[in-house]
Amino acid sequence: MKNYYIYAALLLLLACKDNQQAPAPQTPQGFTPHTEEVVEQTYHEDTTYKYEHRTGTSGDYQYNYDVSGTDENGDEVTGNVSVQDKYGEGTLTDNEGNEIQVEVEWIDYGKLKATDDDGNEYELGVD
């Protein structure tokens, strides 16, 4: 009889556990990932690391960074980029307020090289 009660308690616990639902993932307001291939989005924010937020599934994250740096003439630029593995893309703003679409790649820890459609290069650091 004792085994019956233990078995019933285990079944009850398992039944309750299966009915729990995980909360739906939330996307930050105003954020659109730069790649349309992200099928299931999750959102994670961690101020310990330099990324602003990331999307993707475990092991396949896309990171988003605020960046600043200089163009080939030494003029300052700021912006935001999304990076997955070594490469990514984003938007920079120059001193005149012009928005520049760029492709980026990691060149060192916390340092990115960006290239626009005209072949201009930018050295960027993660803010």
Side-chain angles (χ1 to χ4, degrees), residues 49-90:
Y49 299 99
K50 291 193 175 213
Y51 60 85
E52 184 177 320
H53 54 268
R54 68 182 183 198
T55 61
T57 57
S58 180
D60 185 31
Y61 289 109
Q62 177 181 355
Y63 294 88
N64 183 270
Y65 301 92
D66 288 327
V67 293
S68 60
T70 57
D71 64 13
E72 295 170 327
N73 299 324
D75 296 325
E76 291 186 19
V77 294
T78 59
N80 187 273
V81 298
S82 292
V83 182
Q84 186 170 0
D85 296 324
K86 186 176 178 177
Y87 302 98
E89 57 187 16

Side-chain angles (χ1 to χ4, degrees), residues 63-121:
Y63 294 88
N64 183 270
Y65 301 92
D66 288 327
V67 293
S68 60
T70 57
D71 64 13
E72 295 170 327
N73 299 324
D75 296 325
E76 291 186 19
V77 294
T78 59
N80 187 273
V81 298
S82 292
V83 182
Q84 186 170 0
D85 296 324
K86 186 176 178 177
Y87 302 98
E89 57 187 16
T91 305
L92 301 178
T93 304
D94 64 15
N95 287 337
E96 298 173 5
N98 299 314
E99 288 190 354
I100 306 156
Q101 299 300 313
V102 294
E103 294 183 2
V104 297
E105 70 176 287
W106 289 111
I107 57 172
D108 201 355
Y109 181 78
K111 295 183 181 180
L112 297 156
K113 179 177 83 170
T115 308
D116 66 18
D117 292 337
D118 297 327
N120 299 314
E121 292 186 354

